[in-house]
Amino acid sequence: MTDSEVKYGLAGVVADDTAVSKVMPETNSLTYRGYAVQDLATKCRFEEVAYLIWNRELPTKAQLAAFNALEKSERGISPAMLTLIGMLNRHAHPMDALRTAVSFMGQADETAEDSSPKGLYDKSIRMFAQIPEIVAADFRVRAGKAPIPTTKDLGFSENFFHMCFGKVPQPEIVKCFDMSMTLYAEHSFNASTFTARTIASSLSDIYSAVTGAIGSLKGPLHGGANEAVMHMLKEVGGAKNAESWMMDALAKKKNIMGFGHRVYKKGDSRVPTMTDAFRKMVDVIGTPEAREYWEMSRILDKIMVREKNIYPNLDFPTGPAYYLMGFEIPIFTPIFVISRITGWTAHVMEQRAANKLVRPLSNYVGVAQRDVVPIEKR
Ligand code: COA
């Protein structure tokens, strides 16, 4: 093998078939099971999209009611999980806490090794129903507050706000959050999904696959970018500084968080929909702080496109949107998990249905073969 044959970062490599989503770089678009994501985000609730991702079709009213009832029946984390959350290091990143909690869920679930289609589906719904409560409980415990138990009276997104803050905000804010859930749900063979599929390919269990995927998503080049965007906006400090900050950062060849994409080179189709929801939310909040973050984002976006022809990705509008919803910055990536659990688990199901162990080759660049000299002669 020669160096030229190595596909660094697996860039351009088609590793398997998938029917879950399609990324079309030529049109910068994305579909889940054939539906454009922006269409789904504006016309459906996230529960419908989750159903679609797992069941291949959008639900009828009766199917959605049954699905919601199933999800609600799985809500409610165990007392042992609450104890675990209370024991975790409060200075650790919430993604580390979530990774530990999902791994804990796996060892507690006696059906963990059941990877039949039904077994995988049941556990996917269980994680979908319980991960939001884990994230919310950890969020409150870190702030020295008591966790708020889940309720079966509220929809998926409303329930998450309730568990975090004890109340549900205005509909435009819930809609913005719900749309972000749909837009984050699935994205073909990104690093975390490929990690989940790689783990599933060894016939390991679905909790192990999701635990590994959480570790992958945590990195700032992947899911962690929404947090990094917010740190960046705080550093910029205001709309009046935005242009000079960006020009200076570009002159110093800094990596600007929330911009660029391995696949989309001319813009990400999820961004206009999310940006529109963010703008509507800013109008409803109406505070000077909200308007400042909106203005700052607009300027940074404009300068980056003008200077580098690099477009924002989904993390760019979601970072400040989550912040203005009242979430602490380190919880942004766990919020991404609340959504992406749908895509990851659909891929685990797909991998297991037509499994081939993932095992690429490597190009060895170390020393040539040599003899071992016994220790007394070294
Ligand atoms: N800020 C500044 N320059 C960037 C950039 C960014 N966010 N993203 C890409 N570029 C530049 C690179 O420096 C490179 O320039 P060069 O050709 O002069 O060296 C060029 O654009 C190509 O970038 P490259 O890093 O090869 O693209 P990639 O496909 O490997 O990287 C990302 C994709 C996502 C890793 C990269 O765009 C990035 O780090 N973005 C910021 C993190 C982020 O928002 N991640 C979330 C992704 S959804």
Side-chain angles (χ1 to χ4, degrees), residues 218-256:
K218 179 185 164 191
L221 294 189
H222 192 7
N226 57 12
E227 296 179 27
V229 165
M230 199 56 223
H231 288 299
M232 176 182 79
L233 294 180
K234 283 187 156 281
E235 189 188 315
V236 174
K240 66 176 183 345
N241 308 332
E243 179 157 6
S244 57
W245 185 92
M246 184 61 105
M247 294 305 286
D248 183 55
L250 291 177
K252 290 180 176 143
K253 301 215 173 304
K254 279 193 184 165
N255 195 15
I256 315 295

Side-chain angles (χ1 to χ4, degrees), residues 220-222 225 250 254-262 265 304 308 310 313 315:
L221 294 189
H222 192 7
L250 291 177
K254 279 193 184 165
N255 195 15
I256 315 295
M257 291 293 140
F259 287 89
H261 199 275
R262 170 60 60 82
K265 297 300 178 194
M304 189 69 171
K308 299 278 288 183
I310 297 177
N313 56 54
D315 295 313

Side-chain angles (χ1 to χ4, degrees), residues 60-237:
T60 62
K61 276 189 185 165
Q63 286 167 332
L64 182 63
F67 178 75
N68 286 341
L70 177 63
E71 183 266 311
K72 286 180 179 171
S73 74
E74 290 284 359
R75 287 185 189 176
I77 57 177
S78 67
M81 178 65 86
L82 272 177
T83 306
L84 175 87
I85 291 170
M87 285 166 58
L88 295 172
N89 173 9
R90 287 188 196 180
H91 303 294
H93 192 282
M95 282 295 273
D96 296 339
L98 182 57
R99 190 193 60 226
T100 307
V102 170
S103 182
F104 184 80
M105 245 183 118
Q107 61 78 43
D109 187 343
E110 288 175 3
T111 71
E113 297 300 332
D114 176 4
S115 295
S116 64
K118 182 174 182 316
L120 292 179
Y121 188 72
D122 288 350
K123 283 181 279 290
S124 302
I125 301 280
R126 196 162 299 144
M127 285 189 271
F128 180 60
Q130 295 186 19
I131 285 176
E133 192 179 353
I134 293 169
V135 173
D138 183 52
F139 172 60
R140 289 187 63 85
V141 166
R142 280 165 193 274
K145 296 177 185 160
I148 298 173
T150 190
T151 165
K152 299 196 179 187
D153 304 331
L154 294 170
F156 187 88
S157 294
E158 290 84 350
N159 188 41
F160 183 63
F161 279 104
H162 163 76
M163 291 187 292
C164 287
F165 305 114
K167 58 181 188 214
V168 178
Q170 295 98 310
E172 291 81 1
I173 298 178
V174 177
K175 181 65 186 163
C176 185
F177 180 84
D178 200 72
M179 285 169 86
S180 78
M181 291 289 101
T182 291
L183 297 170
Y184 266 141
E186 161 55 14
H187 212 192
S188 80
F189 282 25
N190 54 80
S192 57
T193 303
F194 193 62
T195 302
R197 288 189 74 126
T198 301
I199 294 173
S201 83
S202 75
L203 305 188
S204 185
D205 68 286
I206 193 167
Y207 291 105
S208 297
V210 170
T211 302
I214 292 172
S216 170
L217 188 74
K218 179 185 164 191
L221 294 189
H222 192 7
N226 57 12
E227 296 179 27
V229 165
M230 199 56 223
H231 288 299
M232 176 182 79
L233 294 180
K234 283 187 156 281
E235 189 188 315
V236 174

Side-chain angles (χ1 to χ4, degrees), residues 49-61:
V49 177
Y51 180 98
L52 168 73
I53 288 174
W54 283 315
N55 295 287
R56 301 177 182 83
E57 294 295 338
L58 280 167
T60 62
K61 276 189 185 165

